[in-house]
Amino acid sequence: MDIYISGYGVVAKEFVQLIHDKAETIASRYTIKPKIKGIIIREGIVQSEDGLDLPRLLDYGVGTMAIKDYAKDSHYPIQPIDQMSGHVLVEATSTNGNDGEPAYSYIKQALTSHMDVVSISKGALVHHYEELMQLSKSVNRRIKFSGATAAALPTLDVGEYSLAGMTLTRFEGVLNGTTSYILDDMHEQDTDLSMSLQRAQEAGIAEKDPEMDVSGKDSANKLLLLAYRFFSLNNHIQDVDVTGIMAVTKEQIADAKASDHKIVLLASAVLDKQTIHMNVQPTSIPTAHPLANLAPKEKGICFYTEEMGRVAVIGGASSPVGAAGAALKDMINLVQANF
Amino acid sequence: MDIYISGYGVVAKEFVQLIHDKAETIASRYTIKPKIKGIIIREGIVQSEDGLDLPRLLDYGVGTMAIKDYAKDSHYPIQPIDQMSGHVLVEATSTNGNDGEPAYSYIKQALTSHMDVVSISKGALVHHYEELMQLSKSVNRRIKFSGATAAALPTLDVGEYSLAGMTLTRFEGVLNGTTSYILDDMHEQDTDLSMSLQRAQEAGIAEKDPEMDVSGKDSANKLLLLAYRFFSLNNHIQDVDVTGIMAVTKEQIADAKASDHKIVLLASAVLDKQTIHMNVQPTSIPTAHPLANLAPKEKGICFYTEEMGRVAVIGGASSPVGAAGAALKDMINLVQANF
C-alpha cells in the first residue's frame, strides 16, 4: 500500500513512527505492506518510488522545514502535487475553519488520482462534504475520517459498523478533549473558568488561542461530520446551534456538583422525522451518566438506538499518537471493509 | 441473501421480526435483499425456495412446536439438514455448556455447505473454537459471533474494527447482564444476595436455574471467545479462573459503597508476553470507573491499548431484540467487511 501524507505536524510524524514500528505486525495480521511514498508540503511533494527512508526521516523534526531539509539532504526534488500516485492519502494538515484549504485541494487531487483518503483534518470535510463525497463516489474511492471525528475515540466506525442496520434516533457526545479538561478542572478544583483555562494552557492542552475549542466550534464540526454520516442529511455548519464554555461560572459548576451532576460541553444530534436538530452547549448531566466520568482529555459518545438501547463509548484520550492511531485504523479498514 | 435460522426461541423470532420490519431499509442502505429460506429444528429443516412467508410465520408462537405447526399448515415437509443451501446460517439454539450440540453440528453443516455463520449461541464456539475456525478457513467462509459475546454491547467488532492495528495489552468487562442486575440491586437496596437473586428471578431477568449466570460461567465463556479473537492464543475454558457472585455478602457491598466503590463481576484478560491470564471474579472498582455506572441489565467492556489509551464501551442492555440486532449487524457486516 503506497501512502502519501499531506502536512507534517506532530500527528503526521507519529503516523510515520507507527508505520515504522508496526510494519511487520500490519503485514502479518492484515496482509498490508505499507510504504510511505511521499509527503506533501505547501511547496509540493517530496517522494520516492521505493518509499521514504523512515528511520532517516524520523531523525528530522516536525514541520515543513524538517521535510525541506530531509528532501535536500536526500537529493529529492520537490514536485507538483499532481505527481502523486499511490493508494491512499493521509490528510494531516492543521484544520482550517475558513475554507478547508489546502486540505481541500489535496483531497481532490488524491481522489482524482484514484486514491482513497484518510482525513485527520476537519476543515475540508466540514466545508465541502457533499462535493467530496460525490467526487469519491464518481471515482469509486472512499474517504474515511475517524481522525477528524474525535480521533482515538471510536465514533464513526461504532455508528457505521458496530450498529450497522440499527435505527439510530439520536446521539450525543463530549467530543472535545480540551473543554472536557477545563470543565473537569473547574469541577475538581472549584476554580473559575479563566483559571482552569490558564492551567490547561500551561499544561499544553489548550492552545494559546483556544477559540476553536472553547467556542464549541471544534465540537460543532465533529458533530456535523458524524451527523452527515449517520443520518445522511443535507445540513451545514450554520445549522448547528453552538454555545461555548466561556460563560460557564464557578457557581453553575458548584450547583451541578451539589446535586450530583457535572457540566460537560455536550454535542447532540436528534432526528425528528426528516429534520435533524444539532446542538452544542454546556449541559448538566447526572454523575451516573456515561459521559460524566471521563478521565482528563478523554471524550465520549452515546448512541441511542431502537433495538439495542443506548451504547456509549468513552476514552481515547486526546494525544498525537492516538490521532495517528485513528488514521492507521482507518487505513487498515480500507482493506478490511468495503465502505 | 438466503438465510437459515437454527433454533426458534425468542431471539430467533425477534430476528425474523427485524428482517420483516427492516427489509426495505437494509436493501436500500446495504444493497442486501434478505430472504429467510429456512428454519432448523431438531427434526430437520422447514424451508421454501421462495423464502418463508414472514407475516404468516410471525403469527405462530416461539419454539419447535410453533415451527412444526407452521410447517404443517403450510404443507412444507421437514427435510434433513444437509438440504440447507443458502448464504448464511444464524445459529440461535440455546447455549449448551456441555458439548455445544446441536449448534456444533448445524455450524459444521453450514460451513460444509459453503455458508457463512452468524452465531448467537456460545456452546459450540467455546468447545470447538479452533476446529470450527479452521473449517471456516478451509472453505473460505466466516464465523461471526457478536451475539455470543455480549450481544447488543459491541465487543468483538470494537476490538477488531475500531481498534484495528492497535496494540491491545488487556481488556476487562462486565459481560453478564443478570449478575450486573443482581449486584446493582444489592448495592442500591442494601439487600443480601438471595433476596436480590429472587427479585431478579421474579422480574424474569435471572432464570429459574441461574447457575450459568451466577457461577460466572457465562462471563467466562464470553471472555474466552473474545480472548481467542483478540489475542489469537490457544487457550481453553479450563484456563479461565472463575469465581461467581454467590459468596458476595451484604457487608462487602456496604464496604465498597462506603469507599465510593462498587462490586461488579469483572471478566479480565491480560496479555503478559506470550501468556494470557484470564479471570472472572467479583471485583470492587471505583464509582468513576466506566464499568461502575451501568444501568440495570447493561454490560460494558474496557480495552487498554498502547496507542489510544483506554476505550470503554457500555450499554447494550440485555434483551431479545438487542441480541437479534447483534445477529443482524453481523449479517450486514459479512457484506460490509472482509473479515
mmCIF file with all atom_site columns, all heavy atoms in Angstrom, chain A residues 9-29:
data_model
loop_
_atom_site.group_PDB
_atom_site.id
_atom_site.type_symbol
_atom_site.label_atom_id
_atom_site.label_alt_id
_atom_site.label_comp_id
_atom_site.label_asym_id
_atom_site.label_entity_id
_atom_site.label_seq_id
_atom_site.pdbx_PDB_ins_code
_atom_site.Cartn_x
_atom_site.Cartn_y
_atom_site.Cartn_z
_atom_site.occupancy
_atom_site.B_iso_or_equiv
_atom_site.pdbx_formal_charge
_atom_site.auth_seq_id
_atom_site.auth_comp_id
_atom_site.auth_asym_id
_atom_site.auth_atom_id
_atom_site.pdbx_PDB_model_num
ATOM 1   N N   . GLY A 1 9  ? 2.922  17.810  10.750 1.00 0.00 ? 9  GLY A N   1
ATOM 2   C CA  . GLY A 1 9  ? 2.956  18.225  12.149 1.00 0.00 ? 9  GLY A CA  1
ATOM 3   C C   . GLY A 1 9  ? 3.202  17.028  13.049 1.00 0.00 ? 9  GLY A C   1
ATOM 4   O O   . GLY A 1 9  ? 3.608  15.959  12.571 1.00 0.00 ? 9  GLY A O   1
ATOM 5   N N   . VAL A 1 10 ? 2.948  17.185  14.330 1.00 0.00 ? 10 VAL A N   1
ATOM 6   C CA  . VAL A 1 10 ? 3.243  16.098  15.284 1.00 0.00 ? 10 VAL A CA  1
ATOM 7   C C   . VAL A 1 10 ? 2.452  14.826  15.006 1.00 0.00 ? 10 VAL A C   1
ATOM 8   O O   . VAL A 1 10 ? 2.967  13.727  15.164 1.00 0.00 ? 10 VAL A O   1
ATOM 9   C CB  . VAL A 1 10 ? 3.025  16.512  16.761 1.00 0.00 ? 10 VAL A CB  1
ATOM 10  C CG1 . VAL A 1 10 ? 4.176  17.381  17.252 1.00 0.00 ? 10 VAL A CG1 1
ATOM 11  C CG2 . VAL A 1 10 ? 1.706  17.245  16.962 1.00 0.00 ? 10 VAL A CG2 1
ATOM 12  N N   . VAL A 1 11 ? 1.204  14.989  14.570 1.00 0.00 ? 11 VAL A N   1
ATOM 13  C CA  . VAL A 1 11 ? 0.395  13.788  14.328 1.00 0.00 ? 11 VAL A CA  1
ATOM 14  C C   . VAL A 1 11 ? 0.937  13.014  13.126 1.00 0.00 ? 11 VAL A C   1
ATOM 15  O O   . VAL A 1 11 ? 1.068  11.787  13.166 1.00 0.00 ? 11 VAL A O   1
ATOM 16  C CB  . VAL A 1 11 ? -1.093 14.150  14.123 1.00 0.00 ? 11 VAL A CB  1
ATOM 17  C CG1 . VAL A 1 11 ? -1.899 12.905  13.746 1.00 0.00 ? 11 VAL A CG1 1
ATOM 18  C CG2 . VAL A 1 11 ? -1.666 14.774  15.388 1.00 0.00 ? 11 VAL A CG2 1
ATOM 19  N N   . ALA A 1 12 ? 1.292  13.766  12.061 1.00 0.00 ? 12 ALA A N   1
ATOM 20  C CA  . ALA A 1 12 ? 1.845  13.111  10.873 1.00 0.00 ? 12 ALA A CA  1
ATOM 21  C C   . ALA A 1 12 ? 3.133  12.367  11.227 1.00 0.00 ? 12 ALA A C   1
ATOM 22  O O   . ALA A 1 12 ? 3.360  11.231  10.798 1.00 0.00 ? 12 ALA A O   1
ATOM 23  C CB  . ALA A 1 12 ? 2.110  14.142  9.780  1.00 0.00 ? 12 ALA A CB  1
ATOM 24  N N   . LYS A 1 13 ? 3.957  13.009  12.047 1.00 0.00 ? 13 LYS A N   1
ATOM 25  C CA  . LYS A 1 13 ? 5.213  12.345  12.429 1.00 0.00 ? 13 LYS A CA  1
ATOM 26  C C   . LYS A 1 13 ? 4.936  11.082  13.259 1.00 0.00 ? 13 LYS A C   1
ATOM 27  O O   . LYS A 1 13 ? 5.590  10.046  13.074 1.00 0.00 ? 13 LYS A O   1
ATOM 28  C CB  . LYS A 1 13 ? 6.132  13.303  13.190 1.00 0.00 ? 13 LYS A CB  1
ATOM 29  C CG  . LYS A 1 13 ? 7.486  12.682  13.441 1.00 0.00 ? 13 LYS A CG  1
ATOM 30  C CD  . LYS A 1 13 ? 8.563  13.612  13.921 1.00 0.00 ? 13 LYS A CD  1
ATOM 31  C CE  . LYS A 1 13 ? 9.841  12.771  14.082 1.00 0.00 ? 13 LYS A CE  1
ATOM 32  N NZ  . LYS A 1 13 ? 10.982 13.541  14.518 1.00 0.00 ? 13 LYS A NZ  1
ATOM 33  N N   . GLU A 1 14 ? 3.942  11.160  14.149 1.00 0.00 ? 14 GLU A N   1
ATOM 34  C CA  . GLU A 1 14 ? 3.578  9.969   14.927 1.00 0.00 ? 14 GLU A CA  1
ATOM 35  C C   . GLU A 1 14 ? 3.067  8.859   14.004 1.00 0.00 ? 14 GLU A C   1
ATOM 36  O O   . GLU A 1 14 ? 3.288  7.686   14.249 1.00 0.00 ? 14 GLU A O   1
ATOM 37  C CB  . GLU A 1 14 ? 2.488  10.286  15.964 1.00 0.00 ? 14 GLU A CB  1
ATOM 38  C CG  . GLU A 1 14 ? 2.972  11.038  17.188 1.00 0.00 ? 14 GLU A CG  1
ATOM 39  C CD  . GLU A 1 14 ? 3.892  10.217  18.097 1.00 0.00 ? 14 GLU A CD  1
ATOM 40  O OE1 . GLU A 1 14 ? 4.054  9.003   17.847 1.00 0.00 ? 14 GLU A OE1 1
ATOM 41  O OE2 . GLU A 1 14 ? 4.462  10.802  19.026 1.00 0.00 ? 14 GLU A OE2 1
ATOM 42  N N   . PHE A 1 15 ? 2.381  9.271   12.947 1.00 0.00 ? 15 PHE A N   1
ATOM 43  C CA  . PHE A 1 15 ? 1.879  8.274   11.990 1.00 0.00 ? 15 PHE A CA  1
ATOM 44  C C   . PHE A 1 15 ? 3.057  7.565   11.311 1.00 0.00 ? 15 PHE A C   1
ATOM 45  O O   . PHE A 1 15 ? 3.068  6.340   11.178 1.00 0.00 ? 15 PHE A O   1
ATOM 46  C CB  . PHE A 1 15 ? 0.974  8.947   10.950 1.00 0.00 ? 15 PHE A CB  1
ATOM 47  C CG  . PHE A 1 15 ? 0.400  7.987   9.945  1.00 0.00 ? 15 PHE A CG  1
ATOM 48  C CD1 . PHE A 1 15 ? -0.667 7.173   10.267 1.00 0.00 ? 15 PHE A CD1 1
ATOM 49  C CD2 . PHE A 1 15 ? 0.952  7.889   8.669  1.00 0.00 ? 15 PHE A CD2 1
ATOM 50  C CE1 . PHE A 1 15 ? -1.186 6.268   9.341  1.00 0.00 ? 15 PHE A CE1 1
ATOM 51  C CE2 . PHE A 1 15 ? 0.437  6.989   7.738  1.00 0.00 ? 15 PHE A CE2 1
ATOM 52  C CZ  . PHE A 1 15 ? -0.629 6.175   8.084  1.00 0.00 ? 15 PHE A CZ  1
ATOM 53  N N   . VAL A 1 16 ? 4.054  8.342   10.910 1.00 0.00 ? 16 VAL A N   1
ATOM 54  C CA  . VAL A 1 16 ? 5.254  7.739   10.305 1.00 0.00 ? 16 VAL A CA  1
ATOM 55  C C   . VAL A 1 16 ? 5.909  6.770   11.303 1.00 0.00 ? 16 VAL A C   1
ATOM 56  O O   . VAL A 1 16 ? 6.298  5.653   10.951 1.00 0.00 ? 16 VAL A O   1
ATOM 57  C CB  . VAL A 1 16 ? 6.253  8.839   9.873  1.00 0.00 ? 16 VAL A CB  1
ATOM 58  C CG1 . VAL A 1 16 ? 7.571  8.219   9.431  1.00 0.00 ? 16 VAL A CG1 1
ATOM 59  C CG2 . VAL A 1 16 ? 5.658  9.686   8.748  1.00 0.00 ? 16 VAL A CG2 1
ATOM 60  N N   . GLN A 1 17 ? 5.966  7.212   12.551 1.00 0.00 ? 17 GLN A N   1
ATOM 61  C CA  . GLN A 1 17 ? 6.562  6.361   13.595 1.00 0.00 ? 17 GLN A CA  1
ATOM 62  C C   . GLN A 1 17 ? 5.783  5.054   13.742 1.00 0.00 ? 17 GLN A C   1
ATOM 63  O O   . GLN A 1 17 ? 6.384  3.968   13.821 1.00 0.00 ? 17 GLN A O   1
ATOM 64  C CB  . GLN A 1 17 ? 6.564  7.137   14.920 1.00 0.00 ? 17 GLN A CB  1
ATOM 65  C CG  . GLN A 1 17 ? 7.280  6.432   16.064 1.00 0.00 ? 17 GLN A CG  1
ATOM 66  C CD  . GLN A 1 17 ? 8.796  6.506   15.940 1.00 0.00 ? 17 GLN A CD  1
ATOM 67  O OE1 . GLN A 1 17 ? 9.355  7.592   15.834 1.00 0.00 ? 17 GLN A OE1 1
ATOM 68  N NE2 . GLN A 1 17 ? 9.464  5.359   15.949 1.00 0.00 ? 17 GLN A NE2 1
ATOM 69  N N   . LEU A 1 18 ? 4.467  5.143   13.754 1.00 0.00 ? 18 LEU A N   1
ATOM 70  C CA  . LEU A 1 18 ? 3.634  3.933   13.874 1.00 0.00 ? 18 LEU A CA  1
ATOM 71  C C   . LEU A 1 18 ? 3.869  2.987   12.701 1.00 0.00 ? 18 LEU A C   1
ATOM 72  O O   . LEU A 1 18 ? 3.993  1.773   12.883 1.00 0.00 ? 18 LEU A O   1
ATOM 73  C CB  . LEU A 1 18 ? 2.139  4.289   13.929 1.00 0.00 ? 18 LEU A CB  1
ATOM 74  C CG  . LEU A 1 18 ? 1.561  4.794   15.257 1.00 0.00 ? 18 LEU A CG  1
ATOM 75  C CD1 . LEU A 1 18 ? 0.057  5.037   15.103 1.00 0.00 ? 18 LEU A CD1 1
ATOM 76  C CD2 . LEU A 1 18 ? 1.808  3.790   16.381 1.00 0.00 ? 18 LEU A CD2 1
ATOM 77  N N   . ILE A 1 19 ? 3.902  3.556   11.482 1.00 0.00 ? 19 ILE A N   1
ATOM 78  C CA  . ILE A 1 19 ? 4.124  2.711   10.304 1.00 0.00 ? 19 ILE A CA  1
ATOM 79  C C   . ILE A 1 19 ? 5.489  2.029   10.410 1.00 0.00 ? 19 ILE A C   1
ATOM 80  O O   . ILE A 1 19 ? 5.634  0.834   10.129 1.00 0.00 ? 19 ILE A O   1
ATOM 81  C CB  . ILE A 1 19 ? 4.036  3.549   9.006  1.00 0.00 ? 19 ILE A CB  1
ATOM 82  C CG1 . ILE A 1 19 ? 2.624  4.086   8.801  1.00 0.00 ? 19 ILE A CG1 1
ATOM 83  C CG2 . ILE A 1 19 ? 4.497  2.729   7.787  1.00 0.00 ? 19 ILE A CG2 1
ATOM 84  C CD1 . ILE A 1 19 ? 1.582  3.036   8.493  1.00 0.00 ? 19 ILE A CD1 1
ATOM 85  N N   . HIS A 1 20 ? 6.458  2.796   10.864 1.00 0.00 ? 20 HIS A N   1
ATOM 86  C CA  . HIS A 1 20 ? 7.793  2.224   11.024 1.00 0.00 ? 20 HIS A CA  1
ATOM 87  C C   . HIS A 1 20 ? 7.809  1.102   12.069 1.00 0.00 ? 20 HIS A C   1
ATOM 88  O O   . HIS A 1 20 ? 8.306  0.007   11.832 1.00 0.00 ? 20 HIS A O   1
ATOM 89  C CB  . HIS A 1 20 ? 8.783  3.324   11.411 1.00 0.00 ? 20 HIS A CB  1
ATOM 90  C CG  . HIS A 1 20 ? 10.155 2.811   11.704 1.00 0.00 ? 20 HIS A CG  1
ATOM 91  N ND1 . HIS A 1 20 ? 10.639 2.707   12.991 1.00 0.00 ? 20 HIS A ND1 1
ATOM 92  C CD2 . HIS A 1 20 ? 11.130 2.331   10.898 1.00 0.00 ? 20 HIS A CD2 1
ATOM 93  C CE1 . HIS A 1 20 ? 11.861 2.191   12.941 1.00 0.00 ? 20 HIS A CE1 1
ATOM 94  N NE2 . HIS A 1 20 ? 12.186 1.954   11.688 1.00 0.00 ? 20 HIS A NE2 1
ATOM 95  N N   . ASP A 1 21 ? 7.199  1.363   13.222 1.00 0.00 ? 21 ASP A N   1
ATOM 96  C CA  . ASP A 1 21 ? 7.230  0.391   14.323 1.00 0.00 ? 21 ASP A CA  1
ATOM 97  C C   . ASP A 1 21 ? 6.379  -0.845  14.048 1.00 0.00 ? 21 ASP A C   1
ATOM 98  O O   . ASP A 1 21 ? 6.678  -1.931  14.530 1.00 0.00 ? 21 ASP A O   1
ATOM 99  C CB  . ASP A 1 21 ? 6.715  1.030   15.623 1.00 0.00 ? 21 ASP A CB  1
ATOM 100 C CG  . ASP A 1 21 ? 7.616  2.155   16.103 1.00 0.00 ? 21 ASP A CG  1
ATOM 101 O OD1 . ASP A 1 21 ? 8.750  2.285   15.580 1.00 0.00 ? 21 ASP A OD1 1
ATOM 102 O OD2 . ASP A 1 21 ? 7.184  2.917   16.995 1.00 0.00 ? 21 ASP A OD2 1
ATOM 103 N N   . LYS A 1 22 ? 5.280  -0.646  13.311 1.00 0.00 ? 22 LYS A N   1
ATOM 104 C CA  . LYS A 1 22 ? 4.291  -1.719  13.219 1.00 0.00 ? 22 LYS A CA  1
ATOM 105 C C   . LYS A 1 22 ? 4.257  -2.403  11.856 1.00 0.00 ? 22 LYS A C   1
ATOM 106 O O   . LYS A 1 22 ? 3.361  -3.214  11.601 1.00 0.00 ? 22 LYS A O   1
ATOM 107 C CB  . LYS A 1 22 ? 2.897  -1.152  13.516 1.00 0.00 ? 22 LYS A CB  1
ATOM 108 C CG  . LYS A 1 22 ? 2.687  -0.814  14.971 1.00 0.00 ? 22 LYS A CG  1
ATOM 109 C CD  . LYS A 1 22 ? 1.324  -0.179  15.186 1.00 0.00 ? 22 LYS A CD  1
ATOM 110 C CE  . LYS A 1 22 ? 0.928  -0.282  16.628 1.00 0.00 ? 22 LYS A CE  1
ATOM 111 N NZ  . LYS A 1 22 ? 0.344  -1.575  16.994 1.00 0.00 ? 22 LYS A NZ  1
ATOM 112 N N   . ALA A 1 23 ? 5.186  -2.072  10.996 1.00 0.00 ? 23 ALA A N   1
ATOM 113 C CA  . ALA A 1 23 ? 5.139  -2.597  9.625  1.00 0.00 ? 23 ALA A CA  1
ATOM 114 C C   . ALA A 1 23 ? 4.980  -4.118  9.605  1.00 0.00 ? 23 ALA A C   1
ATOM 115 O O   . ALA A 1 23 ? 4.143  -4.667  8.882  1.00 0.00 ? 23 ALA A O   1
ATOM 116 C CB  . ALA A 1 23 ? 6.376  -2.171  8.852  1.00 0.00 ? 23 ALA A CB  1
ATOM 117 N N   . GLU A 1 24 ? 5.743  -4.803  10.432 1.00 0.00 ? 24 GLU A N   1
ATOM 118 C CA  . GLU A 1 24 ? 5.689  -6.278  10.422 1.00 0.00 ? 24 GLU A CA  1
ATOM 119 C C   . GLU A 1 24 ? 4.362  -6.809  10.926 1.00 0.00 ? 24 GLU A C   1
ATOM 120 O O   . GLU A 1 24 ? 3.780  -7.724  10.336 1.00 0.00 ? 24 GLU A O   1
ATOM 121 C CB  . GLU A 1 24 ? 6.811  -6.850  11.287 1.00 0.00 ? 24 GLU A CB  1
ATOM 122 C CG  . GLU A 1 24 ? 8.103  -7.024  10.525 1.00 0.00 ? 24 GLU A CG  1
ATOM 123 C CD  . GLU A 1 24 ? 9.194  -7.578  11.430 1.00 0.00 ? 24 GLU A CD  1
ATOM 124 O OE1 . GLU A 1 24 ? 8.971  -8.617  12.079 1.00 0.00 ? 24 GLU A OE1 1
ATOM 125 O OE2 . GLU A 1 24 ? 10.276 -6.943  11.505 1.00 0.00 ? 24 GLU A OE2 1
ATOM 126 N N   . THR A 1 25 ? 3.882  -6.238  12.039 1.00 0.00 ? 25 THR A N   1
ATOM 127 C CA  . THR A 1 25 ? 2.590  -6.659  12.587 1.00 0.00 ? 25 THR A CA  1
ATOM 128 C C   . THR A 1 25 ? 1.478  -6.446  11.567 1.00 0.00 ? 25 THR A C   1
ATOM 129 O O   . THR A 1 25 ? 0.617  -7.310  11.365 1.00 0.00 ? 25 THR A O   1
ATOM 130 C CB  . THR A 1 25 ? 2.227  -5.810  13.829 1.00 0.00 ? 25 THR A CB  1
ATOM 131 O OG1 . THR A 1 25 ? 3.396  -5.633  14.619 1.00 0.00 ? 25 THR A OG1 1
ATOM 132 C CG2 . THR A 1 25 ? 1.146  -6.471  14.646 1.00 0.00 ? 25 THR A CG2 1
ATOM 133 N N   . ILE A 1 26 ? 1.488  -5.280  10.925 1.00 0.00 ? 26 ILE A N   1
ATOM 134 C CA  . ILE A 1 26 ? 0.448  -4.963  9.943  1.00 0.00 ? 26 ILE A CA  1
ATOM 135 C C   . ILE A 1 26 ? 0.514  -5.938  8.764  1.00 0.00 ? 26 ILE A C   1
ATOM 136 O O   . ILE A 1 26 ? -0.516 -6.420  8.284  1.00 0.00 ? 26 ILE A O   1
ATOM 137 C CB  . ILE A 1 26 ? 0.597  -3.506  9.456  1.00 0.00 ? 26 ILE A CB  1
ATOM 138 C CG1 . ILE A 1 26 ? 0.378  -2.543  10.624 1.00 0.00 ? 26 ILE A CG1 1
ATOM 139 C CG2 . ILE A 1 26 ? -0.373 -3.194  8.330  1.00 0.00 ? 26 ILE A CG2 1
ATOM 140 C CD1 . ILE A 1 26 ? 0.758  -1.108  10.326 1.00 0.00 ? 26 ILE A CD1 1
ATOM 141 N N   . ALA A 1 27 ? 1.727  -6.240  8.352  1.00 0.00 ? 27 ALA A N   1
ATOM 142 C CA  . ALA A 1 27 ? 1.886  -7.173  7.234  1.00 0.00 ? 27 ALA A CA  1
ATOM 143 C C   . ALA A 1 27 ? 1.367  -8.559  7.599  1.00 0.00 ? 27 ALA A C   1
ATOM 144 O O   . ALA A 1 27 ? 0.633  -9.185  6.836  1.00 0.00 ? 27 ALA A O   1
ATOM 145 C CB  . ALA A 1 27 ? 3.342  -7.240  6.809  1.00 0.00 ? 27 ALA A CB  1
ATOM 146 N N   . SER A 1 28 ? 1.715  -9.034  8.794  1.00 0.00 ? 28 SER A N   1
ATOM 147 C CA  . SER A 1 28 ? 1.325  -10.401 9.128  1.00 0.00 ? 28 SER A CA  1
ATOM 148 C C   . SER A 1 28 ? -0.161 -10.492 9.473  1.00 0.00 ? 28 SER A C   1
ATOM 149 O O   . SER A 1 28 ? -0.822 -11.477 9.172  1.00 0.00 ? 28 SER A O   1
ATOM 150 C CB  . SER A 1 28 ? 2.177  -10.945 10.273 1.00 0.00 ? 28 SER A CB  1
ATOM 151 O OG  . SER A 1 28 ? 1.806  -10.350 11.488 1.00 0.00 ? 28 SER A OG  1
ATOM 152 N N   . ARG A 1 29 ? -0.692 -9.446  10.104 1.00 0.00 ? 29 ARG A N   1
ATOM 153 C CA  . ARG A 1 29 ? -2.078 -9.529  10.558 1.00 0.00 ? 29 ARG A CA  1
ATOM 154 C C   . ARG A 1 29 ? -3.089 -9.153  9.476  1.00 0.00 ? 29 ARG A C   1
ATOM 155 O O   . ARG A 1 29 ? -4.174 -9.717  9.423  1.00 0.00 ? 29 ARG A O   1
ATOM 156 C CB  . ARG A 1 29 ? -2.246 -8.627  11.778 1.00 0.00 ? 29 ARG A CB  1
ATOM 157 C CG  . ARG A 1 29 ? -3.544 -8.797  12.467 1.00 0.00 ? 29 ARG A CG  1
ATOM 158 C CD  . ARG A 1 29 ? -3.463 -8.595  13.946 1.00 0.00 ? 29 ARG A CD  1
ATOM 159 N NE  . ARG A 1 29 ? -4.731 -8.920  14.564 1.00 0.00 ? 29 ARG A NE  1
ATOM 160 C CZ  . ARG A 1 29 ? -5.017 -8.759  15.838 1.00 0.00 ? 29 ARG A CZ  1
ATOM 161 N NH1 . ARG A 1 29 ? -4.083 -8.293  16.654 1.00 0.00 ? 29 ARG A NH1 1
ATOM 162 N NH2 . ARG A 1 29 ? -6.195 -9.066  16.325 1.00 0.00 ? 29 ARG A NH2 1
#
